[in-house]
Amino acid sequence: MNIINLLGVFFSVVLLLSQQVIADDADVEYKVKAGYLYNFTKFITWPEDGNETFNLCIVGEDPFGTLIDPIEQRSAFGRPIKLFRMNSLNKKQHCHILFINAAIKDKVLLKGMLVIDDTHTSLTVGESNEFAAQGGMIGFVNRLGKIKLQINLKALQQSGLKISAKLLEVAELIEGENND
């Protein structure tokens, strides 16, 4: 085998291994985000709504895959957690937590998702860098490889949800649009 072939094999192996590292990084990122979504149930209080399940809805392409599925083995407020994956927002489906994928960038569509419905109180969570500034309640941002929280306190207060001071301590509070 000549040197050119050896270099080709070497770079192929490096390329394959680097793709595995990138995939593992994405897995870790979404495991962390899934953990946050569950832990929000411990630091945010929803008004009583009479639902039999606590609903977590993922709108748009599901970046979690099977990583978030174990959340359905848990409960929140004495109710089992139920996952709903939706291509677009279904206003008939009550979502306690509404996770909006970063791929949804259409501002009109996003604004429609963030409008607070008087009959249902949803915690809106997204992962685009400007999500909280655009009126979302909690945005995940990646800072130097770490997932950080941005909280739009105005949007949260407008919703009627109660947030623990402990969650506020670990987040960056931002001024954002409200949804009046």
Coordinates of all heavy atoms in Angstrom, one line a residue, residues 39-121:
N39 N -37.3 19.0 34.4 CA -37.1 19.7 35.7 C -37.9 21.0 35.7 O -38.2 21.5 36.8 CB -35.6 20.0 35.9 CG -35.0 18.7 36.4 OD1 -35.4 18.1 37.3 ND2 -33.9 18.3 35.7
F40 N -38.4 21.5 34.6 CA -39.2 22.7 34.6 C -40.5 22.4 35.4 O -41.1 23.3 36.1 CB -39.6 23.2 33.2 CG -38.5 23.8 32.5 CD1 -38.5 23.8 31.1 CD2 -37.4 24.4 33.1 CE1 -37.4 24.3 30.4 CE2 -36.3 25.0 32.4 CZ -36.4 24.9 31.0
T41 N -40.9 21.1 35.5 CA -42.1 20.8 36.2 C -41.9 20.9 37.7 O -42.9 20.9 38.5 CB -42.6 19.3 35.9 OG1 -41.6 18.4 36.4 CG2 -42.8 19.1 34.4
K42 N -40.6 21.0 38.1 CA -40.3 21.1 39.5 C -40.2 22.6 40.0 O -40.2 22.9 41.1 CB -39.0 20.4 39.9 CG -39.2 18.9 39.6 CD -37.8 18.2 39.9 CE -37.9 16.7 39.6 NZ -36.7 16.0 39.8
F43 N -40.0 23.5 39.0 CA -39.7 24.9 39.3 C -40.7 25.9 38.7 O -40.5 27.1 38.9 CB -38.3 25.2 38.8 CG -37.2 24.5 39.5 CD1 -36.6 23.3 38.9 CD2 -36.8 24.8 40.8 CE1 -35.6 22.6 39.6 CE2 -35.8 24.1 41.5 CZ -35.3 23.0 40.9
I44 N -41.7 25.3 38.1 CA -42.8 26.2 37.5 C -44.1 25.6 37.9 O -44.2 24.3 38.0 CB -42.7 26.3 36.0 CG1 -41.4 27.0 35.6 CG2 -43.9 27.0 35.4 CD1 -41.1 27.1 34.2
T45 N -45.0 26.4 38.3 CA -46.3 25.9 38.7 C -47.4 26.4 37.7 O -47.5 27.6 37.4 CB -46.7 26.5 40.1 OG1 -45.6 26.1 41.0 CG2 -48.0 25.9 40.6
W46 N -48.2 25.5 37.3 CA -49.3 25.7 36.4 C -50.6 25.8 37.2 O -50.7 25.1 38.2 CB -49.4 24.6 35.4 CG -48.4 24.6 34.3 CD1 -48.6 25.0 33.0 CD2 -47.0 24.2 34.3 NE1 -47.5 24.9 32.2 CE2 -46.5 24.3 33.0 CE3 -46.2 23.6 35.3 CZ2 -45.2 24.0 32.8 CZ3 -44.9 23.3 35.0 CH2 -44.4 23.5 33.8
P47 N -51.5 26.6 36.7 CA -52.8 26.6 37.3 C -53.5 25.2 37.1 O -53.3 24.5 36.1 CB -53.6 27.7 36.6 CG -52.8 28.1 35.4 CD -51.5 27.5 35.6
E48 N -54.4 24.9 38.1 CA -55.1 23.6 37.9 C -56.0 23.6 36.7 O -56.6 24.6 36.4 CB -56.0 23.4 39.2 CG -56.6 22.0 39.2 CD -55.7 20.8 39.1 OE1 -54.6 20.8 39.8 OE2 -56.0 19.9 38.3
D49 N -55.9 22.5 35.9 CA -56.7 22.5 34.6 C -57.6 21.3 34.4 O -58.3 21.2 33.5 CB -55.7 22.7 33.5 CG -54.7 21.6 33.4 OD1 -54.9 20.5 34.0 OD2 -53.7 21.8 32.7
G50 N -57.5 20.3 35.3 CA -58.4 19.2 35.2 C -57.9 18.1 34.2 O -58.6 17.1 34.0
N51 N -56.8 18.3 33.6 CA -56.3 17.3 32.6 C -55.8 16.1 33.4 O -55.3 16.2 34.4 CB -55.2 17.8 31.8 CG -55.6 18.8 30.7 OD1 -56.8 18.7 30.3 ND2 -54.7 19.6 30.2
E52 N -56.0 14.9 32.7 CA -55.6 13.7 33.3 C -54.1 13.4 33.2 O -53.5 12.7 33.9 CB -56.3 12.5 32.7 CG -57.8 12.5 33.1 CD -58.6 11.3 32.5 OE1 -57.9 10.3 32.0 OE2 -59.8 11.3 32.5
T53 N -53.5 14.1 32.1 CA -52.1 13.9 31.9 C -51.4 15.3 31.9 O -52.1 16.3 31.7 CB -51.8 13.2 30.5 OG1 -52.4 14.0 29.5 CG2 -52.3 11.8 30.5
F54 N -50.1 15.3 32.1 CA -49.3 16.5 31.9 C -48.7 16.4 30.6 O -47.9 15.5 30.3 CB -48.3 16.6 33.1 CG -47.5 17.9 33.0 CD1 -47.9 19.0 33.7 CD2 -46.3 18.0 32.3 CE1 -47.2 20.2 33.7 CE2 -45.6 19.2 32.2 CZ -46.1 20.3 32.9
N55 N -49.0 17.3 29.7 CA -48.6 17.2 28.3 C -47.4 18.0 27.9 O -47.4 19.3 28.1 CB -49.8 17.6 27.4 CG -51.0 16.7 27.7 OD1 -50.9 15.5 28.0 ND2 -52.2 17.3 27.6
L56 N -46.4 17.4 27.3 CA -45.3 18.0 26.7 C -45.4 17.8 25.2 O -45.4 16.7 24.7 CB -44.0 17.4 27.3 CG -42.7 18.1 27.0 CD1 -41.6 17.6 28.0 CD2 -42.2 17.9 25.6
C57 N -45.4 18.9 24.5 CA -45.6 18.9 23.0 C -44.3 19.4 22.3 O -43.8 20.4 22.8 CB -46.8 19.7 22.6 SG -48.3 19.3 23.4
I58 N -43.9 18.7 21.3 CA -42.8 19.1 20.5 C -43.4 19.5 19.1 O -44.0 18.6 18.5 CB -41.8 17.9 20.4 CG1 -41.3 17.5 21.8 CG2 -40.6 18.3 19.4 CD1 -40.5 16.2 21.8
V59 N -43.1 20.7 18.8 CA -43.7 21.2 17.5 C -42.5 21.4 16.5 O -41.5 21.9 16.8 CB -44.4 22.6 17.7 CG1 -44.9 23.1 16.3 CG2 -45.5 22.4 18.6
G60 N -42.7 20.8 15.3 CA -41.7 20.9 14.3 C -40.9 19.5 14.3 O -41.3 18.6 15.0
E61 N -39.8 19.5 13.6 CA -39.0 18.3 13.6 C -38.5 18.0 15.0 O -38.1 18.9 15.7 CB -37.8 18.5 12.6 CG -37.0 17.3 12.4 CD -35.9 17.5 11.5 OE1 -36.1 18.2 10.5 OE2 -34.8 16.9 11.7
D62 N -38.7 16.7 15.4 CA -38.3 16.3 16.7 C -36.8 16.1 16.8 O -36.3 15.1 16.3 CB -39.0 15.0 17.1 CG -38.7 14.5 18.5 OD1 -37.9 15.1 19.2 OD2 -39.2 13.4 18.8
P63 N -36.0 17.0 17.5 CA -34.6 16.8 17.6 C -34.2 15.8 18.6 O -33.0 15.4 18.7 CB -34.1 18.2 17.9 CG -35.2 18.8 18.7 CD -36.5 18.2 18.1
F64 N -35.1 15.4 19.5 CA -34.8 14.5 20.6 C -34.7 13.1 20.2 O -34.0 12.3 20.8 CB -35.8 14.7 21.7 CG -35.9 16.0 22.4 CD1 -36.8 17.0 22.0 CD2 -35.0 16.4 23.3 CE1 -36.8 18.2 22.5 CE2 -35.0 17.6 23.9 CZ -35.9 18.5 23.5
G65 N -35.5 12.7 19.2 CA -35.6 11.3 18.9 C -36.1 10.5 20.1 O -37.0 10.9 20.8
T66 N -35.4 9.4 20.4 CA -35.8 8.5 21.5 C -35.3 9.0 22.8 O -35.6 8.5 23.9 CB -35.4 7.1 21.2 OG1 -34.0 7.0 21.1 CG2 -36.1 6.5 20.0
L67 N -34.4 10.0 22.8 CA -33.7 10.5 24.0 C -34.7 11.0 25.0 O -34.5 10.9 26.2 CB -32.7 11.6 23.7 CG -31.5 11.2 22.9 CD1 -30.7 12.4 22.6 CD2 -30.6 10.2 23.7
I68 N -35.9 11.5 24.6 CA -36.8 12.1 25.5 C -37.9 11.1 25.9 O -38.7 11.4 26.8 CB -37.4 13.4 24.9 CG1 -38.1 14.2 26.0 CG2 -38.4 13.1 23.7 CD1 -38.4 15.7 25.6
D69 N -38.0 10.0 25.2 CA -39.1 9.0 25.5 C -39.2 8.6 27.0 O -40.3 8.4 27.4 CB -39.0 7.8 24.6 CG -39.3 8.1 23.1 OD1 -39.8 9.3 22.8 OD2 -39.0 7.3 22.3
P70 N -38.1 8.4 27.7 CA -38.2 8.0 29.1 C -39.0 9.0 30.0 O -39.4 8.6 31.1 CB -36.8 7.9 29.6 CG -36.0 7.6 28.3 CD -36.7 8.4 27.2
I71 N -39.2 10.2 29.5 CA -39.9 11.2 30.3 C -41.4 10.7 30.5 O -42.0 11.1 31.5 CB -39.9 12.6 29.6 CG1 -40.1 13.7 30.7 CG2 -40.9 12.7 28.5 CD1 -39.8 15.1 30.2
E72 N -41.9 9.9 29.6 CA -43.3 9.4 29.8 C -43.4 8.3 30.9 O -44.5 7.9 31.3 CB -43.8 8.8 28.5 CG -44.1 9.8 27.4 CD -44.9 9.2 26.3 OE1 -44.4 8.3 25.6 OE2 -46.0 9.7 26.0
Q73 N -42.2 8.0 31.5 CA -42.3 7.1 32.7 C -42.3 7.9 33.9 O -42.3 7.3 35.0 CB -41.0 6.2 32.6 CG -41.0 5.3 31.4 CD -39.7 4.6 31.2 OE1 -38.7 4.7 32.0 NE2 -39.5 3.8 30.2
R74 N -42.3 9.2 33.8 CA -42.4 10.1 35.0 C -43.7 10.7 35.1 O -44.6 10.6 34.2 CB -41.3 11.1 34.8 CG -39.9 10.5 34.7 CD -38.9 11.4 35.1 NE -37.6 10.7 35.1 CZ -36.6 11.0 35.9 NH1 -36.8 11.9 36.8 NH2 -35.5 10.3 35.9
S75 N -43.8 11.5 36.2 CA -45.1 12.2 36.4 C -44.8 13.6 36.8 O -43.7 14.0 37.3 CB -46.0 11.5 37.4 OG -45.3 11.5 38.7
A76 N -45.8 14.5 36.7 CA -45.7 15.9 37.1 C -47.0 16.2 37.8 O -48.1 16.0 37.2 CB -45.4 16.8 35.9
F77 N -47.0 16.7 39.0 CA -48.2 17.2 39.7 C -49.2 16.0 39.9 O -50.4 16.2 39.7 CB -48.8 18.4 39.0 CG -47.9 19.5 38.8 CD1 -47.3 19.7 37.5 CD2 -47.5 20.3 39.8 CE1 -46.4 20.7 37.3 CE2 -46.6 21.3 39.6 CZ -46.0 21.5 38.4
G78 N -48.6 14.8 40.1 CA -49.5 13.6 40.3 C -50.1 13.1 39.0 O -51.0 12.2 39.1
R79 N -49.7 13.5 37.9 CA -50.2 13.1 36.6 C -49.1 12.5 35.7 O -48.0 13.0 35.7 CB -50.9 14.2 35.9 CG -52.1 14.8 36.6 CD -52.7 15.9 35.9 NE -51.9 17.1 36.1 CZ -52.1 18.3 35.5 NH1 -53.1 18.4 34.7 NH2 -51.4 19.3 35.8
P80 N -49.4 11.5 35.0 CA -48.4 11.0 34.1 C -48.1 12.0 33.0 O -48.9 12.7 32.5 CB -49.0 9.7 33.5 CG -50.5 9.8 33.7 CD -50.6 10.7 34.9
I81 N -46.8 12.0 32.6 CA -46.4 12.9 31.5 C -46.6 12.2 30.2 O -46.3 11.0 30.0 CB -44.9 13.3 31.6 CG1 -44.7 14.1 32.9 CG2 -44.4 14.1 30.4 CD1 -43.2 14.5 33.2
K82 N -47.2 12.9 29.2 CA -47.5 12.4 27.9 C -46.8 13.3 26.9 O -46.9 14.5 26.9 CB -49.0 12.4 27.7 CG -49.5 11.9 26.4 CD -49.6 10.4 26.3 CE -50.2 10.0 25.0 NZ -49.6 9.0 24.4
L83 N -46.1 12.6 25.9 CA -45.4 13.3 24.8 C -46.3 13.4 23.6 O -47.0 12.4 23.3 CB -44.2 12.6 24.4 CG -42.9 12.8 25.2 CD1 -41.8 11.9 24.7 CD2 -42.5 14.2 25.1
F84 N -46.3 14.6 23.0 CA -47.0 14.7 21.7 C -46.0 15.3 20.7 O -45.4 16.4 21.0 CB -48.2 15.6 21.8 CG -49.3 15.0 22.7 CD1 -49.4 15.3 24.0 CD2 -50.3 14.2 22.1 CE1 -50.4 14.7 24.8 CE2 -51.3 13.7 22.8 CZ -51.4 13.9 24.2
R85 N -45.8 14.7 19.6 CA -45.0 15.2 18.5 C -45.9 15.7 17.4 O -46.7 14.9 16.9 CB -44.0 14.1 18.1 CG -43.0 13.7 19.1 CD -42.2 12.5 18.7 NE -41.0 12.3 19.5 CZ -41.0 11.5 20.5 NH1 -42.0 10.7 20.8 NH2 -39.9 11.3 21.2
M86 N -45.7 17.0 17.0 CA -46.6 17.6 16.0 C -45.8 18.3 15.0 O -44.9 19.0 15.3 CB -47.6 18.5 16.7 CG -48.4 17.9 17.8 SD -49.5 19.1 18.7 CE -48.3 20.0 19.7
N87 N -46.2 18.2 13.7 CA -45.6 18.9 12.7 C -45.9 20.4 12.8 O -45.1 21.3 12.4 CB -46.0 18.4 11.3 CG -45.4 17.0 11.1 OD1 -44.3 16.7 11.5 ND2 -46.1 16.2 10.4
S88 N -47.1 20.7 13.2 CA -47.6 22.1 13.4 C -48.4 22.1 14.6 O -48.9 21.1 15.1 CB -48.4 22.6 12.2 OG -49.5 21.8 12.0
L89 N -48.6 23.3 15.1 CA -49.3 23.5 16.4 C -50.8 23.1 16.2 O -51.4 23.6 15.3 CB -49.2 24.9 16.9 CG -49.8 25.2 18.3 CD1 -49.2 24.3 19.4 CD2 -49.6 26.6 18.7
N90 N -51.3 22.3 17.1 CA -52.7 21.9 17.1 C -53.3 22.6 18.3 O -53.1 22.2 19.4 CB -52.8 20.4 17.2 CG -54.2 19.9 17.3 OD1 -55.2 20.7 17.4 ND2 -54.4 18.6 17.3
K91 N -54.0 23.7 18.1 CA -54.6 24.5 19.1 C -55.6 23.7 20.0 O -55.8 24.1 21.1 CB -55.3 25.7 18.6 CG -54.4 26.7 17.9 CD -53.7 27.6 18.9 CE -52.9 28.7 18.3 NZ -52.3 29.6 19.1
K92 N -56.1 22.6 19.5 CA -57.0 21.7 20.3 C -56.3 20.9 21.3 O -56.9 20.4 22.3 CB -57.8 20.8 19.4 CG -58.8 21.6 18.5 CD -59.6 20.7 17.6 CE -60.5 21.5 16.7 NZ -61.2 20.6 15.7
Q93 N -55.0 20.7 21.1 CA -54.2 19.9 22.0 C -53.6 20.8 23.1 O -52.9 21.7 22.8 CB -53.0 19.2 21.2 CG -52.1 18.4 22.1 CD -52.8 17.3 22.9 OE1 -53.4 16.5 22.3 NE2 -52.7 17.3 24.2
H94 N -54.0 20.5 24.3 CA -53.5 21.3 25.4 C -52.1 20.8 25.7 O -51.8 19.7 26.0 CB -54.4 21.2 26.7 CG -53.8 22.0 27.8 ND1 -53.6 21.4 29.1 CD2 -53.4 23.2 27.9 CE1 -53.1 22.4 29.8 NE2 -52.9 23.4 29.1
C95 N -51.2 21.8 25.7 CA -49.7 21.5 26.0 C -49.4 22.3 27.2 O -49.5 23.5 27.2 CB -48.9 21.9 24.8 SG -49.3 21.1 23.2
H96 N -48.9 21.6 28.3 CA -48.4 22.3 29.4 C -47.0 22.9 29.1 O -46.8 24.1 29.5 CB -48.3 21.4 30.6 CG -49.6 20.9 31.1 ND1 -50.2 19.8 30.6 CD2 -50.5 21.4 32.0 CE1 -51.4 19.6 31.2 NE2 -51.6 20.6 32.0
I97 N -46.2 22.1 28.4 CA -44.9 22.6 27.9 C -45.0 22.5 26.4 O -45.2 21.4 25.9 CB -43.7 21.9 28.5 CG1 -43.7 22.0 30.0 CG2 -42.4 22.3 27.9 CD1 -42.6 21.2 30.7
L98 N -44.7 23.6 25.7 CA -44.7 23.6 24.3 C -43.2 23.9 23.8 O -42.7 25.0 24.0 CB -45.6 24.7 23.8 CG -45.7 24.9 22.3 CD1 -46.3 23.6 21.6 CD2 -46.6 26.1 21.9
F99 N -42.5 22.8 23.3 CA -41.2 23.0 22.8 C -41.2 23.2 21.3 O -41.8 22.5 20.6 CB -40.4 21.7 23.1 CG -39.0 21.8 22.5 CD1 -38.0 22.4 23.3 CD2 -38.7 21.3 21.3 CE1 -36.7 22.5 22.8 CE2 -37.4 21.4 20.8 CZ -36.4 22.0 21.5
I100 N -40.7 24.4 20.9 CA -40.7 24.8 19.5 C -39.3 24.6 19.0 O -38.3 25.3 19.4 CB -41.2 26.2 19.4 CG1 -42.6 26.3 20.0 CG2 -41.2 26.6 17.9 CD1 -43.1 27.7 20.1
N101 N -39.1 23.8 17.9 CA -37.9 23.5 17.3 C -37.3 24.7 16.7 O -38.0 25.6 16.2 CB -38.1 22.4 16.3 CG -36.8 22.0 15.6 OD1 -36.3 22.7 14.8 ND2 -36.4 20.7 15.8
A102 N -35.9 24.8 16.7 CA -35.2 25.9 16.1 C -35.5 26.1 14.6 O -35.3 27.2 14.1 CB -33.7 25.8 16.4
A103 N -35.9 25.0 14.0 CA -36.1 25.1 12.5 C -37.3 26.0 12.2 O -37.4 26.4 11.0 CB -36.3 23.7 11.9
I104 N -38.2 26.2 13.1 CA -39.3 27.1 12.9 C -38.8 28.5 13.0 O -38.7 29.0 14.1 CB -40.5 26.8 13.8 CG1 -41.0 25.4 13.6 CG2 -41.6 27.8 13.6 CD1 -42.0 24.9 14.5
K105 N -38.6 29.2 11.9 CA -38.0 30.5 11.9 C -39.0 31.6 11.4 O -38.8 32.8 11.5 CB -36.8 30.6 11.1 CG -35.7 29.7 11.6 CD -34.4 29.9 10.9 CE -33.3 29.0 11.4 NZ -33.0 28.9 12.7
D106 N -40.1 31.2 10.8 CA -41.1 32.1 10.3 C -41.7 32.9 11.4 O -42.3 32.3 12.3 CB -42.2 31.3 9.6 CG -43.3 32.2 8.9 OD1 -43.9 33.0 9.7 OD2 -43.5 32.1 7.7
K107 N -41.4 34.2 11.4 CA -41.8 35.0 12.6 C -43.3 35.1 12.8 O -43.8 35.1 13.9 CB -41.3 36.4 12.4 CG -39.8 36.5 12.7 CD -39.3 37.9 12.8 CE -37.8 37.9 13.1 NZ -37.3 39.2 13.4
V108 N -44.1 35.1 11.7 CA -45.6 35.1 11.8 C -46.0 33.8 12.5 O -46.9 33.8 13.4 CB -46.2 35.4 10.5 CG1 -47.8 35.2 10.6 CG2 -45.8 36.7 9.9
L109 N -45.5 32.7 12.0 CA -45.9 31.4 12.5 C -45.5 31.3 14.0 O -46.3 30.8 14.8 CB -45.2 30.3 11.7 CG -45.5 28.8 12.1 CD1 -47.0 28.5 12.0 CD2 -44.7 27.9 11.3
L110 N -44.3 31.7 14.3 CA -43.8 31.6 15.6 C -44.6 32.5 16.6 O -45.0 32.1 17.6 CB -42.3 32.1 15.7 CG -41.6 32.0 17.0 CD1 -41.6 30.6 17.6 CD2 -40.2 32.5 16.9
K111 N -44.9 33.7 16.1 CA -45.8 34.6 16.9 C -47.1 34.0 17.2 O -47.6 34.1 18.4 CB -45.9 35.9 16.2 CG -46.5 37.0 17.0 CD -45.5 37.6 18.0 CE -46.0 38.8 18.6 NZ -45.1 39.2 19.7
G112 N -47.7 33.3 16.3 CA -49.0 32.6 16.5 C -48.9 31.5 17.5 O -49.8 31.3 18.3
M113 N -47.7 30.9 17.6 CA -47.5 29.8 18.6 C -47.4 30.4 20.0 O -47.7 29.7 21.0 CB -46.3 28.9 18.2 CG -46.5 28.1 17.0 SD -45.0 27.1 16.8 CE -45.4 26.4 15.2
L114 N -46.8 31.6 20.0 CA -46.5 32.2 21.3 C -47.7 32.9 21.9 O -47.6 33.4 23.1 CB -45.3 33.1 21.2 CG -44.0 32.4 20.8 CD1 -42.9 33.5 20.6 CD2 -43.6 31.3 21.7
V115 N -48.8 33.1 21.2 CA -49.9 33.8 21.7 C -50.5 33.0 22.8 O -50.8 31.8 22.6 CB -51.0 34.1 20.6 CG1 -52.3 34.6 21.2 CG2 -50.4 35.1 19.6
I116 N -50.8 33.6 23.9 CA -51.3 32.9 25.1 C -52.8 32.7 25.0 O -53.5 33.7 24.8 CB -50.9 33.6 26.4 CG1 -49.4 33.5 26.5 CG2 -51.5 33.0 27.6 CD1 -48.8 34.4 27.6
D117 N -53.2 31.5 25.1 CA -54.6 31.1 25.0 C -55.2 31.3 26.4 O -54.7 30.7 27.3 CB -54.7 29.7 24.5 CG -56.1 29.2 24.3 OD1 -57.1 29.9 24.8 OD2 -56.3 28.2 23.6
D118 N -56.3 32.0 26.5 CA -56.9 32.2 27.8 C -57.4 30.9 28.5 O -57.5 30.8 29.7 CB -58.1 33.1 27.7 CG -57.7 34.5 27.4 OD1 -56.5 34.9 27.7 OD2 -58.5 35.3 26.8
T119 N -57.7 29.8 27.7 CA -58.2 28.6 28.3 C -57.1 27.6 28.6 O -57.3 26.7 29.4 CB -59.2 27.9 27.3 OG1 -58.5 27.6 26.1 CG2 -60.4 28.8 27.0
H120 N -55.9 27.8 28.0 CA -54.8 26.9 28.3 C -53.6 27.7 28.6 O -53.3 28.7 27.9 CB -54.5 26.0 27.1 CG -55.6 25.1 26.7 ND1 -56.2 24.2 27.5 CD2 -56.3 25.1 25.5 CE1 -57.2 23.6 26.8 NE2 -57.3 24.1 25.6
T121 N -52.8 27.3 29.6 CA -51.6 27.9 30.0 C -50.4 27.0 29.6 O -50.3 25.9 30.1 CB -51.5 28.3 31.5 OG1 -52.7 29.0 31.8 CG2 -50.3 29.1 31.8

